[in-house]
Structure formats: C-alpha cells, structure tokens
Amino acid sequence: MEFRPCIDIHNGKVKQIVGSSLRDAGDTAAENFVSERSAADFAALYRTKGLRGGHVILLNAVDSEYYAATKVQALAALAAYPGGLQIGGGITADNAADFIAAGASHVIVTSYVFAGGKIRFDRLERLVQAVGKEHIVLDLSCKRQPDGAYCVATDRWQHLTDERVCTELFDRLADYADEFLIHAVDVEGKSRGIERDLVTMLGGWDGIPVTYAGGVGSFADLDELRTLGNDRVNVTIGSALDLFGGPLEFEKVCAYI
C-alpha cells in the first residue's frame, strides 16, 4: 500500500470538498477546507517527502469562468514537481500530451472515455496513441446503487453511467491504462470510514496498480484498508489530513504507509 497525496483545485483555490456536493451550475460545492497555500506549495512539499503519484484534480468544468485560474494553479504544481504528479479534469486525447509535456507523469481520465453512459473504446485508443498506455490513469470513481452494485460516475461525479465497477471491468480496461483511480463518491470528503465492500473488491483483483479514495478519517481506517485491500490497494487521503484541516498528521501518515 502506498500513500498518494492530492491537490484538488476548485475556483482557483486548493480545496477539500464533499465530492457528492459538487455542482457545475454556479461552480458550487460544500467545502471542508480552503487553503491559502498554492498548489505549487503542496507539490513542493510532496516532492520533498518523495511522494510520487499524487493527484492534481481540476474540479471546474472546462467551460467554467474559473477554469483558467484553476488550470494556472494545476500547471504550477506540475512545474514544481516534474514527473511526480498525475493530473485529471477535462482530459481528452487532444490535450493529454500537453499536460504530459507540462510535467505530469500521467493523465487521469473519466468523462472523455465514459461518454453517453458507455465505454468509448475508440476514445481509449486515441488516448493511447496520444500519450501511451504508460501515461494513462483511468478514473473509475463510482456510486453505490440500491442493488449494491457500484456504477462509474462521470462529469465531476454528477452523472451515472451504465458501467458497473467490478473485476470484469478492470480486466477489460487494464490494457489501456497504467493504473486505476477509484473514488468512493458516497463517502468522499466525509472522513467517516471507507467503503468496505468496494475496497474488498479492489483487494481481490491482482492486476495493474489501484488507488482508492474516500472516507479515510483515522489510522483505524488505514488499518482496515490495508487488511481488506490485501496491502496492495494504494490510498489517497484528503480532508482528514492536517494539511487540509483534519486530524491526521501528514508526517505520521507518511511514516505509517
């Protein structure tokens, strides 16, 4: 298990939000924390600690009035830690190579690939041609349904697709990506415990690296994630970190993992 730090940027500010509250209309979200530090400051910290594979996420839609300011922050983070961070938010086959050239190790993609509720394999092929499988992270963030299944959520987690997150889906997509990133949207930003069934599923699949995000609020949660994930599911922690106003000390988390 590896610790993958995060830099979430919304309306030009580094923030931690409740994921399920994000709305493009009005560029609103329930905020857990808004930092006065820049994205580049966090990137420099992660570089100093030798933490690789962190996620820089642009939480504004490309057509938002705030997107330009958010992108400026994101590019500054990549420049502060070249090759050490992944970037997601509005990534397509047309702009993916630009972000790699700007210093991202990987591009993180969801909505471009899961368009119209289905997997667009033609778009996956274009992505691979644009930057190579080794630079692609597929974000399979999901919401739990009444029948217990998890369905991929797109467009900053505001729309559900017909694709269920399961080992069969991982097998279908593994040839197009270097890693998977999976936010448990229902518990994202709430620091009230992990999505146990989802983590158990992830821990039972032995393929490309997988990073889980959502609900971690204590070291007991990390213990549970390590056990249920068979010590091979990586983890992102956001709102619960003291860097973002939470109770978990960043230094202790680095030492734990």
Side-chain angles (χ1 to χ4, degrees):
M1 184 167 72
E2 298 178 4
F3 173 39
R4 302 291 182 86
C6 62
I7 305 173
D8 294 346
I9 310 169
H10 184 243
N11 296 358
K13 293 279 190 177
V14 176
K15 295 182 182 180
Q16 285 296 311
I17 67 169
V18 178
S20 58
S21 73
L22 186 63
R23 297 292 182 270
D24 288 344
D27 293 294
T28 61
E31 299 171 345
N32 288 327
F33 183 81
V34 181
S35 179
E36 293 304 314
R37 300 171 67 182
S38 70
D41 289 338
F42 286 100
L45 172 63
Y46 301 155
R47 182 176 185 174
T48 298
K49 298 300 293 184
L51 297 170
R52 300 185 63 84
H55 312 118
V56 180
I57 305 296
L58 292 78
L59 291 174
N60 290 104
V62 174
D63 60 359
S64 164
E65 64 178 298
Y66 296 101
Y67 179 79
T70 292
K71 185 177 179 181
V72 166
Q73 286 263 24
L75 292 176
L78 298 183
Y81 192 3
L85 298 168
Q86 305 171 356
I87 190 165
I91 305 295
T92 70
D94 294 324
N95 64 19
D98 294 335
F99 286 106
I100 297 298
S105 66
H106 297 70
V107 290
I108 303 169
V109 188
T110 307
S111 302
Y112 176 72
V113 168
F114 292 89
K118 299 290 185 180
I119 302 172
R120 289 285 301 273
F121 283 98
D122 60 323
R123 293 187 172 186
L124 271 174
E125 294 284 359
R126 287 188 62 204
L127 273 171
V128 172
Q129 291 171 7
V131 296
K133 172 185 182 293
E134 67 275 14
H135 293 298
I136 297 172
V137 174
L138 288 179
D139 185 342
L140 308 180
S141 296
C142 55
K143 292 185 178 183
R144 191 163 193 165
Q145 302 308 294
D147 63 357
Y150 295 94
C151 287
V152 174
T154 66
D155 303 302
R156 292 156 301 285
W157 309 323
Q158 294 167 84
H159 299 109
L160 283 179
T161 73
D162 298 327
E163 297 293 342
R164 296 194 170 199
V165 174
C166 57
T167 56
E168 290 79 11
L169 181 64
F170 304 153
D171 290 338
R172 292 172 67 196
L173 297 178
D175 288 340
Y176 299 92
D178 197 45
E179 299 183 9
F180 294 136
L181 170 62
I182 301 179
H183 292 80
V185 176
D186 296 313
V187 298
E188 173 72 21
K190 298 180 180 179
S191 302
R192 298 175 186 167
I194 63 174
E195 191 75 66
R196 295 176 181 85
D197 291 344
L198 179 59
V199 171
T200 300
M201 179 201 308
L202 302 181
W205 186 72
D206 187 12
I208 62 176
V210 176
T211 297
Y212 167 86
V216 173
S218 66
F219 284 100
D221 290 331
L222 288 176
D223 289 339
E224 189 170 35
L225 193 146
R226 187 187 296 276
T227 299
L228 296 178
N230 288 319
D231 203 24
R232 61 179 175 232
V233 177
N234 302 323
V235 62
T236 291
I237 308 170
S239 299
L241 276 185
D242 60 353
L243 296 180
F244 304 116
L248 291 183
E249 294 181 36
F250 173 71
E251 296 290 342
K252 289 185 178 179
V253 169
C254 290
Y256 173 92
I257 301 177

